[in-house]
Amino acid sequence: MILPAALLCLLVAAGIEDVRRREIANWKNGAIALLAPVWWWATGMTPWPDMAIQFGIAAAIFAIFVGLWVLNLIGGGDVKLIGALALWVPLAPMISMLILMSVIGGVIAALLLIERKWRRDPAAPQVPYGVAIACSALLTFHEPLLNHFR
């Protein structure tokens, strides 16, 4: 339970920081990434092929989101957070997490646009996408982590 609790704290802290400063500290993303191999070991993953597959999935997801960063569609801290989380989440739940992240991010963006319109502020809003990433990860992890006592 220590590792999930640490991940929970890091995700909440990253989301709060993204709202406040529109950036996510590298040490938080690094801590999430560095705790993943400990999680692999704690959950009984084998080095081959389990850990190798998980690392490959994470590398592919990170590469895709680096491409989005290059196109200036997402922030660098968000890319690192997604890449670090991809080390924790198997492929099927990761796809669900990405879909959920998109929906939550879209809702946040729509709310920010409404708020800007209401205040008559013509500037484009900066969406704290770390919140969407953290929320989707917490919802994705909720079932296997918090309901494992059934």
Side-chain angles (χ1 to χ4, degrees):
M1 291 303 291
I2 292 172
L3 289 172
L7 179 61
L8 171 98
C9 291
L10 287 165
L11 288 171
V12 169
I16 290 169
E17 182 179 20
D18 201 26
V19 167
R20 289 183 176 171
R21 299 178 42 209
R22 296 302 193 263
E23 61 183 46
I24 301 168
N26 286 333
W27 73 265
K28 289 178 183 135
N29 293 326
I32 291 170
L34 291 174
L35 287 173
V38 180
W39 175 251
W40 298 344
W41 175 78
T43 57
M45 290 177 78
T46 59
W48 184 262
D50 298 335
M51 291 180 192
I53 290 170
Q54 192 65 45
F55 186 79
I57 290 167
I61 288 171
F62 182 73
I64 290 166
F65 279 89
V66 165
L68 295 174
W69 174 75
V70 167
L71 296 172
N72 203 29
L73 298 174
I74 193 166
D78 301 328
V79 171
K80 291 178 267 188
L81 183 57
I82 293 167
L85 282 169
L87 291 168
W88 286 73
V89 185
L91 183 58
M94 187 68 198
I95 291 169
S96 298
M97 188 184 106
L98 292 173
I99 292 167
L100 187 57
M101 178 185 78
S102 300
V103 171
I104 294 170
V107 168
I108 292 170
L111 291 173
L112 287 173
L113 284 170
I114 291 167
E115 185 260 345
R116 295 278 181 171
K117 181 92 170 158
W118 182 70
R119 290 187 338 172
R120 292 186 170 93
D121 185 352
Q126 284 188 322
V127 179
Y129 219 78
V131 174
I133 298 165
C135 287
S136 65
L138 291 171
L139 290 170
T140 299
F141 270 99
H142 172 266
E143 186 65 31
L145 293 179
L146 299 179
N147 293 333
H148 69 282
F149 292 113
R150 285 198 244 167

